[in-house]
């Protein structure tokens, strides 16, 4: 389902249960449209995510790690000034709309207590996050500033009086009576009458009503019995997230303990890829341009190589013209001669301005030119093909690495000369360890490279010769080292699953993974980072499994 008013209702209940009475300990904005409030509650720090992303707007507690940017944004500086150490008085939903307000109280420099409201409006591309001073109702700051020219309904700049979004004048389903559901014949009728009802919820309500069941009981379940789950919709088999069971219109996939864990799991890859795209947009654009030029160059080189196939004909024409030179009339445009190799007639074009000898030498010259070009064409083909494979592997790695691994890939591209080196901020931490470590169920260490430089270091320098190397077959992916000379079958399957997960085949099933001992791997001289050759491998089919990978990482 979407993050509609019904889901918002359940989320507000969870947030009040877990964060009400907590104190804001830290404020950060890891990405342009996302805010993280670290709230000290129940004797532990919990991260509250407020996202105004156009596709993934939401509010939730999250366990995902976020790196604090070296330089805080203007929005964060404003929030830190007013609500650092503020107490969370509670969370409120505007009727059944996708608008959530957080009531805050904080002391100023003189010790006086002031009240503020932080409001998130979850409205697709119009989503926004506000901090409002309750003393005068004015906006202190907001994550998306909009000029009056682009918004005539209300002010969306600091200092403007905060106004709620336009009301749709619909009925709150939690205040509905039994008779309010009479006469509703379609899902659209339900959405038009009740506030905060999304497509999935209206389909479920219609199905309940058609089955002569109580719609009020279903609506009240969002408040009383919360059972977070993922399920596939019956009509299109699309995976969705739900705070309660939609028994009539979905097929259950799995339950989660909290709404926070449900959303963390559902948005894990979606949000990760989007954040990586935000950080690497200029880099991927540059690499894509280079890649396009390289592929065009390969086409031209192959065309040139194809033309060299006629060089033997030029050599033959030169021989025949030399042998039968006495038969050639100066000024002729062509001549037909007998090929003494197969006794077939051959018609040869001539330049009428050339002598017979000059025509023969012209064909010999073209023959030698094509013959001499072959090594150069093959060399350029090898270099350009190698670069295409390398760039495709880098772009593919951005689809499966974690957000914290992007810096390593950027450093790799800087070192390889594909992008200019930037001055690193003094607070930027350098990664000390090479690769990410896991442990199989039977206790064997596994190391995964997160970029091509790490792949080279793991495979060619750090791994012992009798350790086992894993890599997805014929696709970009990480190098995976299983640190054992005699691994058991289960450890081999688990290491192969990790290799499949950290590859371009992450979303596939029955992924082929090659494995062999490191001693059988070689790196050609001058090869791009991450490129190796090997022989004698064994191939195993595995299914990438995020739950297994997380389990082995924690272990």
């Amino acid at each position: 389902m979407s993050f509609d008013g019904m889901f918002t209702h359940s989320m507000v209940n969870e947030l009040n249960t877990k964060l009400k009475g907590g104190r804001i300990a830290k404020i950060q904005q890891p990405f342009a449209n996302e805010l993280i409030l670290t709230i000290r509650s129940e004797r532990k720090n919990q991260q509250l995510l407020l996202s105004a992303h156009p596709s993934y707007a939401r509010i939730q507690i999250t366990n995902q790690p976020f790196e604090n940017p070296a330089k805080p944004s203007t929005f964060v500086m404003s929030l830190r000034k007013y609500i650092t150490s503020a107490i969370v008085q509670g969370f409120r939903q505007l009727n059944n709309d996708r608008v959530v307000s957080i009531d805050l109280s904080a002391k100023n420099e003189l010790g006086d207590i002031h009240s503020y409201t932080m409001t998130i409006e979850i409205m697709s591309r119009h989503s926004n996050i506000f901090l409002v001073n309750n003393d005068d109702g004015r906006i202190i700051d907001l994550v998306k500033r909009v000029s009056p020219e682009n918004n005539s309904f209300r002010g969306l700049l600091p200092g403007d009086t905060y106004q709620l979004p336009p009301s749709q004048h619909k009925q709150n389903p939690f205040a509905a009576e039994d008779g309010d559901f009479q006469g509703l014949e379609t899902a659209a009728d339900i959405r038009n009458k009740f506030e905060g009802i999304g497509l999935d919820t209206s389909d479920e309500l219609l199905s309940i009503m058609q089955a002569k069941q109580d719609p009020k009981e279903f609506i009240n379940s969002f408040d009383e019995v919360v059972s977070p789950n993922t399920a596939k919709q019956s009509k299109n088999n699309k995976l969705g997230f739900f705070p309660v069971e939609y028994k009539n219109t979905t097929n259950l996939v799995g339950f989660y303990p909290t709404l926070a864990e449900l959303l963390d799991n559902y948005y894990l890859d979606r949000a990760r890829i989007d954040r990586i795209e935000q950080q690497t947009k200029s880099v991927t654009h540059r690499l894509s341009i280079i890649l396009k030029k390289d592929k065009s160059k390969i086409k031209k080189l192959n065309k040139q190589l194809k033309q060299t196939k006629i060089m033997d004909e030029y050599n033959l024409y030169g021989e025949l013209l030399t042998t039968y030179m006495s038969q050639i009339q100066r000024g002729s445009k062509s001549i037909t001669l007998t090929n003494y190799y197969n006794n077939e007639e051959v018609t040869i074009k001539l330049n009428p301005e050339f002598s017979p000898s000059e025509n023969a030498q012209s064909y010999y010259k073209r023959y030698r030119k094509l013959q001499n070009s072959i090594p150069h064409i093959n060399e350029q083909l090898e270099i350009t093909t190698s670069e295409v494979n390398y760039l495709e592997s880098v772009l593919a790695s951005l689809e499966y690495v974690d957000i914290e691994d992007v810096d390593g890939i950027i450093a790799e591209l800087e070192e390889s000369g594909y992008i200019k080196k930037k001055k690193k901020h003094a607070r930027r931490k350098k990664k000390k360890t090479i690769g990410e470590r896991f442990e199989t169920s039977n206790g064997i260490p596994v190391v995964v490279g997160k970029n091509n430089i790490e792949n080279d270091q793991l495979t060619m320098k750090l791994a012992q010769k009798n350790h086992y190397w894993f890599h997805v077959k014929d696709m970009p992916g990480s190098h995976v080292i299983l640190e054992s000379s005699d691994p058991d079958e289960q450890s081999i399957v688990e290491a192969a699953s990790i290799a499949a997960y950290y590859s371009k085949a992450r979303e596939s099933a029955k992924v082929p993974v090659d494995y062999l001992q490191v001693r059988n791997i070689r790196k050609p001289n001058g090869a791009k980072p991450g490129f190796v050759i090997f022989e004698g491998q064994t191939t195993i089919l595995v299914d990438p499994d995020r739950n297994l990978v997380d389990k082995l990482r924690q272990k």
Side-chain angles (χ1 to χ4, degrees), residues 96 168 170-174 176-177 180-181 184 189-197 205 219:
N96 196 47
Q168 295 180 324
K170 296 181 180 181
Q171 184 176 351
N172 187 339
F174 289 93
E177 302 293 339
D180 293 329
F181 294 92
L184 302 178
D189 291 339
I190 296 172
R191 293 195 300 275
N192 290 333
K193 181 167 185 176
F194 294 108
E195 183 179 36
I197 302 290
L205 273 169
I219 289 172

Side-chain angles (χ1 to χ4, degrees), residues 206-473:
L206 181 64
S207 179
I208 288 172
M209 292 160 60
Q210 289 173 340
K212 307 299 182 182
Q213 298 170 354
D214 185 5
K216 282 290 293 178
E217 183 179 345
F218 173 70
I219 289 172
N220 290 336
S221 69
F222 285 79
D223 199 14
E224 298 171 1
V225 182
V226 178
S227 49
N229 67 88
T230 53
K232 290 188 176 180
Q233 300 168 40
S234 302
K235 62 181 180 182
N236 58 16
N237 207 37
K238 185 179 179 181
L239 184 69
F241 57 89
F242 305 88
V244 300
E245 286 190 77
Y246 283 35
K247 297 179 180 179
N248 297 283
T249 56
T250 67
N251 298 310
L252 183 68
V253 173
F255 287 107
Y256 291 84
T258 64
L259 294 175
E261 291 178 64
L262 167 67
L263 293 184
D264 267 352
N265 181 78
Y266 183 83
Y267 282 114
L268 181 62
D269 280 337
R270 294 168 176 83
R272 175 184 58 81
I273 292 172
D274 180 78
R275 290 163 183 157
I276 289 174
E277 286 178 350
Q278 289 182 44
Q279 283 197 349
T280 62
K281 189 174 182 179
S282 61
V283 173
T284 54
H285 178 67
R286 174 167 173 75
L287 296 187
S288 296
I289 291 174
I290 298 172
L291 195 58
K292 185 177 180 179
K293 289 181 179 178
D294 282 347
K295 289 182 176 180
S296 177
K297 183 178 180 180
I298 288 175
K299 286 184 179 179
K300 291 179 181 178
L301 290 170
N302 282 323
K303 187 176 181 180
Q304 292 174 10
L305 195 61
K306 189 176 181 180
Q307 290 175 344
T308 63
K309 293 180 180 178
I310 64 173
M311 69 178 186
D312 290 335
E313 291 183 16
Y314 291 161
N315 186 46
L316 174 64
Y317 294 166
E319 282 187 35
L320 295 178
L321 291 177
T322 301
T323 301
Y324 298 110
M325 195 170 296
S326 59
Q327 299 180 22
I328 304 172
Q329 297 293 324
R330 189 181 182 96
S332 299
K333 293 184 178 180
S334 65
I335 186 172
T336 300
L337 301 173
T338 302
N339 180 356
Y340 40 72
Y341 290 109
N342 56 17
N343 292 322
E344 293 180 356
E345 297 295 311
V346 178
T347 299
I348 304 173
K349 291 182 179 181
L350 301 174
N351 187 332
E353 297 181 1
F354 287 178
S355 67
S357 175
E358 287 173 335
N359 271 299
Q361 291 303 315
S362 174
Y363 277 109
Y364 278 133
K365 184 178 181 180
R366 280 189 264 179
Y367 163 73
R368 287 191 295 272
K369 183 178 180 180
L370 289 175
Q371 187 182 46
N372 292 336
S373 72
I374 290 176
H376 174 73
I377 293 173
N378 284 330
E379 180 185 9
Q380 288 299 309
L381 263 177
E382 184 178 351
I383 292 172
T384 310
T385 301
S386 174
E387 183 171 67
V388 166
N389 292 336
Y390 172 71
L391 293 177
E392 286 182 338
S393 74
V394 172
L395 290 172
S397 68
L398 292 173
E399 297 177 13
Y400 60 79
V401 298
D402 297 319
I403 190 71
E404 58 267 24
D405 302 315
V406 171
D407 284 348
I409 294 175
I410 298 297
E412 173 191 333
L413 292 170
E414 290 175 346
E415 190 172 318
S416 301
Y418 285 99
I419 57 176
K420 292 182 180 179
K421 290 186 177 182
K422 296 181 180 179
K423 289 184 179 180
K424 297 181 179 180
H425 198 278
R427 288 179 61 186
R428 185 174 175 180
K429 296 179 181 179
K430 292 186 178 180
K431 196 172 183 179
K432 296 180 181 179
T433 57
I434 301 300
E436 184 174 0
R437 301 195 70 86
F438 298 79
E439 188 177 299
T440 69
S441 300
N442 292 323
I444 301 176
V446 179
V447 191
V448 179
K450 290 303 188 71
N451 58 63
N452 285 308
I453 291 178
E454 284 193 358
N455 288 338
D456 273 357
Q457 292 175 313
L458 280 179
T459 303
M460 308 311 300
K461 294 182 179 180
L462 300 180
Q464 296 181 19
K465 296 299 181 183
N466 59 352
H467 287 169
Y468 276 80
W469 178 89
F470 293 75
H471 192 280
V472 66
K473 187 178 184 67

Side-chain angles (χ1 to χ4, degrees), residues 16 42 75 81 89 106 114 137 150 201 353 371 469 543:
N16 274 318
E42 298 180 350
F75 182 53
K81 177 180 177 180
Q89 301 295 338
H114 290 267
N150 297 322
T201 307
E353 297 181 1
Q371 187 182 46
W469 178 89
D543 293 325

Side-chain angles (χ1 to χ4, degrees), residues 522-537:
R522 293 187 298 110
K523 185 172 185 66
N525 292 332
K528 293 284 185 183
F531 179 80
V532 295
I533 55 177
F534 52 88
E535 56 185 12
Q537 72 274 18

